[in-house]
Amino acid sequence: MLFMKGSPKEPRCGFSKQMVEILSKHGVAFSSFDVFSDEEVRQGLKTFSNWPTYPQLYVAGELIGGLDIIKELEASGELGAICPKVQKLEDRLKALINKAPVMLFMKGNKQV
């Protein structure tokens, strides 16, 4: 989860923009939350995380850090090991096809 200023499509600060660019470049699967959309979350998360600035990146519920730390992880090659990747379409399809002994892909559901 990326707590940022703005959204990935429209970052509202340079640090958030750089963070999105790094995560996207490495194919990291992430959701985001615009801290400008909720002042209580914006202020409360600073206390909760003991991290005074945004963006803040969390993986599996744990604070990884802000932009400087993400840049360090990228430079050391550790970013890929920490962050989950976006699943490739081929891998998703293989998982779906093998979900049951017989798999039917159809429009709608069994009842309709």
Side-chain angles (χ1 to χ4, degrees):
M1 174 61 80
L2 176 62
F3 290 90
M4 62 180 290
K5 294 177 179 177
S7 69
K9 290 186 179 184
E10 293 183 28
R12 293 181 54 192
C13 83
F15 296 120
S16 291
K17 181 180 180 188
Q18 288 180 59
M19 179 77 87
V20 169
E21 288 171 352
I22 290 169
L23 296 176
S24 297
K25 178 172 77 174
H26 290 276
V28 174
F30 69 97
S31 295
S32 66
F33 183 88
D34 179 2
V35 295
F36 287 141
S37 70
D38 189 322
E39 187 63 22
E40 188 175 33
V41 169
R42 182 178 177 191
Q43 297 306 323
L45 191 59
K46 290 177 185 181
T47 303
F48 175 80
S49 65
N50 197 25
W51 197 271
T53 60
Y54 292 102
Q56 294 182 16
L57 183 67
Y58 287 75
V59 175
E62 187 127 352
L63 176 66
I64 300 303
L67 181 60
D68 289 343
I69 290 178
I70 299 309
K71 284 182 173 181
E72 289 174 13
L73 291 170
E74 179 185 34
S76 71
E78 295 177 69
L79 185 63
I82 293 172
C83 296
K85 301 280 186 191
V86 173
Q87 191 177 26
K88 293 178 184 175
L89 178 58
E90 185 175 332
D91 294 335
R92 288 179 56 207
L93 292 173
K94 285 179 182 178
L96 284 170
I97 289 167
N98 292 301
K99 196 171 184 178
V102 176
M103 194 66 176
L104 171 64
F105 291 89
M106 60 185 273
K107 293 180 181 179
N109 59 45
K110 289 189 263 185
Q111 290 74 30
V112 182

